[in-house]
Amino acid sequence: MNLEAFKHIFYRMPIVVRLFLSVCLIMLFFGTIIHLIEPQQFPSVFDGVWWAFITGATVGYGDYVPLTATGRVVGILLILSGGGMLTFYITTLAAKTINHENDLSEGKVSYKGKQHIVVVGWNERTKQLVEMIADKDANQEMVLIDRSLNKLQYRHYPVHFIHGDPSEDAVLVQANIEEAASVLISTDITLEERKADINTILTTLAVRGNNQDIPINAEMLTISQVENAIRAGADTVISSNDFMSMLFYHELFHKESTRPFESILNLLKQQQFSHTKLPEELEDSSYQEALTFFLANHELLLGIIRDNKWMMNPSGDTKLDRDDTMIILSAW
């Protein structure tokens, strides 16, 4: 278990449980030390831990007492720290724990993990995305950057929250962008479309400036700004308005017996798209033969990309070229 995973588990525990674990750890430390110093007087580590708890609580039953000078020095150290540990020390630890938890929820704590997904912007779309990723892989770490959100409890959503402007280098450093696996930049729906796209482009530039190799997925609202997002460094531009317009069109003019929205939604939930170069054994073969080839591997061939032109569901006798890219649909 790495440090970030331990933090996520530890800080989701109730405060009382966290304090109890801290007290046990310190008592175990003193109990082990006194056992090693005076093994005859304290035959086992448990006897030492029992003495540490009794001494730290200032009860002092007297059933276990250190006899050597070194053992008594350990006892003095325990007394000096023990009372404070169960009173002042515990309250201090509680205050620090609560403050740190508040800092986490308010987005003030830097992220130290690696291979995480950075999500920019908190809205209903990214909220559902976080839940989908968590359901698919509970071990996948996610970092959320948002400037409008003031607080986000980890126990409610499994993301490390960073509060700030994602176009600023300091905020991206807090999110440890150099060690991230990928970035998704969601558009700010509270802004006018053009301004929201400009903010997305600025964020893309900032991310690319801090990490030259990270895959960047950017959502854009206006078609005129798509090329600028690509120039800024976005690897994939998601034109949400285009997608929704096409979906509306299908809903308005689909055949009476079909349900386009539900079909697309379930398709994307259960299957994934992939692009692959034409296998050598399929060179000079027909599209029909390629269909059979991929079906044998439980994959569905949807079309071909040839010379940057998309050929979806071409005729079965279409000849395949060596440089063709196959559009495949397969299970997650």
Side-chain angles (χ1 to χ4, degrees):
M1 180 182 296
N2 58 35
L3 179 60
E4 288 298 327
F6 173 77
K7 283 172 58 181
H8 290 324
I9 295 173
F10 183 75
Y11 284 107
R12 293 179 73 178
M13 295 179 181
I15 294 177
V16 174
V17 175
R18 280 177 266 165
L19 294 175
F20 174 75
L21 292 176
S22 299
V23 170
C24 288
L25 183 62
I26 294 175
M27 293 302 180
L28 177 63
F29 171 76
F30 277 103
T32 303
I33 293 296
I34 198 66
H35 165 68
L36 295 176
I37 292 175
E38 297 190 18
Q40 293 183 347
Q41 186 68 7
F42 300 90
S44 67
V45 173
F46 177 78
D47 294 326
V49 171
W50 166 255
W51 167 81
F53 268 102
I54 296 304
T55 304
T58 68
V59 176
Y61 287 137
D63 49 350
Y64 290 98
V65 179
L67 300 179
T68 65
T70 305
R72 289 173 179 174
V73 169
V74 173
I76 292 172
L77 294 176
L78 177 58
I79 292 170
L80 291 175
S81 61
M85 178 167 46
L86 296 176
T87 54
F88 174 75
Y89 177 77
I90 286 183
T91 57
T92 303
L93 178 62
K96 289 185 178 180
T97 301
I98 293 173
N99 290 337
H100 185 71
E101 186 169 358
N102 287 335
D103 289 342
L104 279 173
S105 64
E106 293 174 2
K108 299 178 181 178
V109 180
S110 298
Y111 183 79
K112 302 299 183 182
K114 299 180 180 180
Q115 294 302 307
H116 51 289
I117 297 174
V118 177
V119 179
V120 176
W122 187 242
N123 48 53
E124 191 62 30
R125 298 189 303 279
T126 53
K127 187 185 300 183
Q128 292 185 22
L129 173 64
V130 166
E131 293 174 349
M132 292 170 63
I133 294 175
D135 289 339
K136 182 178 181 295
D137 185 2
N139 295 320
Q140 176 61 61
E141 297 290 339
M142 291 173 281
V143 174
L144 169 70
I145 303 177
D146 190 273
R147 57 183 166 188
S148 61
L149 190 65
N150 293 322
K151 204 167 195 178
L152 185 67
Q153 296 287 348
Y154 182 85
R155 63 172 58 93
H156 297 156
Y157 296 98
V159 295
H160 185 107
F161 172 48
I162 301 292
H163 176 77
D165 188 341
S167 64
E168 296 180 358
D169 288 347
V171 175
L172 295 175
V173 169
Q174 268 191 288
N176 197 14
I177 198 68
E178 291 186 357
E179 302 291 345
S182 60
V183 175
L184 171 68
I185 305 174
S186 176
T187 189
D188 188 347
I189 58 177
T190 64
L191 300 176
E192 183 267 332
E193 288 187 349
R194 182 177 177 82
K195 187 175 181 180
D197 283 349
I198 291 175
N199 283 350
T200 299
I201 292 171
L202 288 175
T203 300
T204 303
L205 281 169
V207 171
R208 184 57 71 206
N210 284 272
N211 190 328
Q212 291 292 324
D213 302 319
I214 190 170
I216 302 177
N217 306 281
E219 179 187 11
M220 303 295 292
L221 298 177
T222 57
I223 298 177
S224 60
Q225 296 297 326
V226 169
E227 287 299 324
N228 288 331
I230 295 174
R231 294 190 191 101
D235 297 284
T236 302
V237 175
I238 304 169
S239 184
S240 54
N241 283 345
D242 287 349
F243 178 78
M244 291 306 300
S245 297
M246 184 60 67
L247 189 57
F248 290 155
Y249 179 83
H250 275 267
E251 286 291 342
L252 289 172
F253 299 104
H254 68 269
K255 293 181 180 180
E256 190 172 336
S257 60
T258 60
R259 300 165 66 184
F261 177 75
E262 288 83 355
S263 300
I264 293 175
L265 186 62
N266 283 281
L267 172 66
L268 297 177
K269 282 183 178 180
Q270 301 176 32
Q271 302 286 309
Q272 63 176 322
F273 295 98
S274 60
H275 294 175
T276 181
K277 287 295 183 182
L278 180 70
E280 293 183 1
E281 55 266 40
L282 289 179
E283 291 182 12
D284 299 323
S285 299
S286 67
Y287 184 78
Q288 182 65 45
E289 292 172 325
L291 279 171
T292 305
F293 174 84
F294 285 104
L295 280 175
N297 296 320
H298 303 287
E299 297 175 328
L300 180 62
L301 178 61
L302 300 179
I304 307 168
I305 302 176
R306 179 180 296 172
D307 298 327
N308 293 324
K309 294 181 179 179
W310 293 60
M311 303 167 59
M312 305 301 295
N313 193 25
S315 61
D317 56 359
T318 300
K319 289 295 182 182
L320 302 178
D321 295 337
R322 176 183 300 178
D323 297 329
D324 286 345
T325 298
M326 318 305 288
I327 307 170
I328 308 297
L329 192 63
S330 59
W332 282 100

